[in-house]
Amino acid sequence: MAITTDLSGKTAVITGSNSGIGLGIARELAKAGAHVVLNSFTDRKEDHALAAEIASVCGVKARYIKADMSKGDDCRALIEEAGACDILVNNAGIQHVAGIDKFPVDKWDAIIAINLSSAFHTTAAALPLMRDAGWGRVINIASAHGLTASPYKSAYVAAKHGIVGLTKVTALECAGQQITANAICPGYVLTPLVEAQIPDQMKTHDMDRDTVVREVMLARQPSKEFATVEQLGGTAVFLCSDAAAQITGTTISVDGGWTAL
Ligand code: NAD
């Protein structure tokens, strides 16, 4: 069998994809030929413009669907409105940092809902479509924090460990059905949000850009380099390729060696 990464004719739904990693993954999947459905909880001109830009650059169908991933009904409605879902990328995520005894309950609930429960709902809605199509890929964006922990990130670490578990169960329930489920575990990725934190960190630590990036932000990332959204997108394309047809129920770290420590 020829090994291909051509995703022509497939439809990919990427949650939380109007910025950062989700948008990077959507762009790479579209470059590989997939039609893409972008999503977030807003409904701005810019959101729809992103889809139009991807459609015109990549020659695929692209649209933006508003759905709030903190709400189970919205998660399921997203897949229903998409109509097809050969590739599901569960990427939407938020973060909050505080000690367990001070962790706001509403933040805990929101992180578990958006970073974990949303993937349960979208997967539940997408699997029947994948089974009908006889092919599918579930790609969950976990984190190095799906495999290891840091203090003050209880909800995030719990949700990311949880999504690694959900990935394994999804893989087992779909084994032998040409449907795989895997989790990508990024370390620190250079997204606009991370980029925006650099000036503040330089001020706080009285360091130049290179030093603050190397010694503060990438303290746990042995490569001392950020991963990029393009690399995450390329990893997602690989997981959709024929080469990855027998890779299922596992994690792929894109973390510059973080979890090897
Ligand atoms: P980001 O803030 O740029 O992207 C998060 C996306 O989720 C945005 O599109 C946002 O609109 C969307 N989102 C947030 N709440 C939502 C909701 N209620 N409904 C729908 N969409 C919602 O951040 P990012 O860094 O690109 O993060 C993307 C994913 O990658 C997250 O799951 C994050 O945990 C994970 N991750 C990021 C890094 C990193 O260093 N940036 C590292 C490891 C894992």
Side-chain angles (χ1 to χ4, degrees):
M1 184 184 74
I3 294 293
T4 176
T5 51
D6 180 9
L7 301 178
S8 302
K10 308 289 190 203
T11 298
V13 179
I14 305 104
T15 71
S17 48
N18 64 353
S19 74
I21 294 171
L23 181 56
I25 290 175
R27 288 191 199 284
E28 295 304 317
L29 290 173
K31 281 189 211 161
H35 305 306
V36 293
V37 175
L38 305 184
N39 153 263
S40 185
F41 58 92
T42 50
D43 199 8
R44 307 166 305 173
K45 259 195 216 150
E46 305 93 276
D47 298 324
H48 296 274
L50 282 172
E53 179 221 309
I54 291 177
S56 98
V57 170
C58 301
V60 297
K61 289 185 211 154
R63 62 191 172 122
Y64 175 88
I65 299 177
K66 175 194 169 185
D68 184 345
M69 293 299 105
S70 69
K71 300 186 174 123
D73 288 348
D74 268 35
C75 298
R76 289 169 190 259
L78 168 65
I79 304 300
E80 199 177 314
E81 200 176 331
C85 183
D86 306 295
I87 299 162
L88 171 63
V89 183
N90 288 306
N91 168 78
I94 58 167
Q95 172 67 287
H96 186 82
V97 179
I100 292 173
D101 51 336
K102 302 198 171 55
F103 211 92
V105 172
D106 62 331
K107 294 283 183 204
W108 171 276
D109 289 343
I111 290 174
I112 297 299
I114 296 168
N115 297 23
L116 176 58
S117 302
S118 68
F120 159 69
H121 292 293
T122 54
T123 303
L127 286 184
L129 301 180
M130 293 180 183
R131 289 189 174 121
D132 284 350
W135 189 93
R137 295 286 187 267
V138 179
I139 300 173
N140 293 325
I141 306 306
S143 165
H145 282 116
L147 303 168
T148 183
S150 295
Y152 312 115
K153 296 185 175 175
S154 54
Y156 189 83
V157 170
K160 294 299 186 182
H161 276 67
I163 205 161
V164 170
L166 176 65
T167 304
K168 293 178 184 177
V169 174
T170 308
L172 292 178
E173 292 188 12
C174 295
Q177 300 169 22
Q178 313 308 319
I179 299 168
T180 67
N182 293 287
I184 298 177
C185 296
Y188 234 127
V189 184
L190 192 56
T191 60
L193 220 75
V194 171
E195 182 72 56
Q197 293 167 15
I198 297 177
D200 268 359
Q201 294 279 350
M202 287 167 64
K203 247 192 239 156
T204 309
H205 297 277
D206 192 23
M207 289 174 174
D208 62 27
R209 184 190 159 93
D210 281 358
T211 314
V212 91
V213 164
R214 213 178 42 250
E215 289 178 17
V216 178
M217 303 183 80
L218 296 177
R220 293 177 71 180
Q221 200 145 306
S223 66
K224 301 300 171 198
E225 289 169 13
F226 289 110
T228 66
V229 299
E230 290 80 9
Q231 289 163 352
L232 272 300
T235 306
V237 170
F238 165 68
L239 285 173
C240 293
S241 74
D242 293 340
Q246 290 301 318
I247 298 176
T248 194
T250 194
T251 58
I252 296 192
S253 292
V254 184
D255 68 0
W258 177 334
T259 47
L261 276 174

